[in-house]
Amino acid sequence: MSIVLDPAAQDLLFREARTANTFTDEPVTEEQVQAIYDLVKYGPTAFNQSPLRVILVRSDDARARLVAHMAEGNQAKTSTAPLVAILAADNEFHEEIPALLPHFPQAKDAFFSERPVRESSAALNAALQAAYFIIGVRAAGLAAGPMTGFDAAGIEKEFLDGDHSLLMVVNIGKPGEDAWFPRLPRLAYDEVITSI
């Protein structure tokens, strides 16, 4: 086999990875979140821009405010997940480029002086980081339940400022009873991969 990652790790991160819909009440600790971040922060982004920003919803008040903006089918699981993360793209990420790209700090102004360019780049690169984050949650032995069923404008108004764009909401914790829907089919290799 040409995959060098241990088969058990392959299963944990990919083959057995599913969106969790129920969770136990075991808390997700700050140490676990720190370990996840310390792992996934190394995932590459263009110009090392690292635009993902994560808001951890821990208080009952914040949870209630968030749940009010979730689609009906996502409200119960968001109410009961041990931890909920709001993932957003920082459209002002370029301010960090001199520190994150010290060999080419001019990239801040050379490539990202215009807001539409930043928004497009932030959306793509923060989405990459969101995927790294979900895989990191799985690597920590937790389950992730990423969702896009919500009132985005409501969540942005409630939790973000005009410099951040909402990507998704992710429920995090140990999977509960009946956490998984049946595995859905995937496209075959030749339906996705083309050689030219």
Side-chain angles (χ1 to χ4, degrees), residues 15 33 38 40-41 51 55 64 72 125-126 135 138 142 154 157 193:
R15 291 189 197 99
V33 176
D38 286 343
V40 304
K41 69 183 178 185
I55 299 170
E72 185 177 342
N125 286 279
I135 292 172
R138 294 176 179 147
L142 300 169
K157 182 177 179 183
I193 308 296

Side-chain angles (χ1 to χ4, degrees), residues 16-64:
E16 294 175 6
R18 315 274 278 286
T19 296
N21 293 288
T22 67
F23 299 88
T24 69
D25 58 3
E26 183 178 331
V28 176
T29 67
E30 186 63 32
E31 293 76 19
Q32 287 172 301
V33 176
Q34 181 72 51
I36 291 164
Y37 177 71
D38 286 343
L39 175 65
V40 304
K41 69 183 178 185
Y42 294 108
T45 57
F47 294 93
N48 198 33
Q49 64 186 251
S50 307
L52 181 69
R53 301 296 179 264
V54 180
I55 299 170
L56 299 177
V57 180
R58 293 197 182 272
S59 74
D60 292 340
D61 173 65
R63 177 84 59 123

Side-chain angles (χ1 to χ4, degrees), residues 108-136:
K108 172 188 174 199
D109 298 315
F111 295 102
F112 301 112
S113 62
E114 297 180 14
R115 176 71 181 234
V117 172
R118 289 196 307 273
E119 287 178 354
S120 176
S121 190
L124 171 63
N125 286 279
L128 284 173
Q129 288 187 285
Y132 303 148
F133 181 80
I134 291 167
I135 292 172

Side-chain angles (χ1 to χ4, degrees), residues 143-161:
M147 300 169 291
T148 57
F150 43 63
D151 170 16
I155 293 175
E156 288 183 344
K157 182 177 179 183
E158 191 78 36
F159 295 97
L160 304 174
D161 59 28

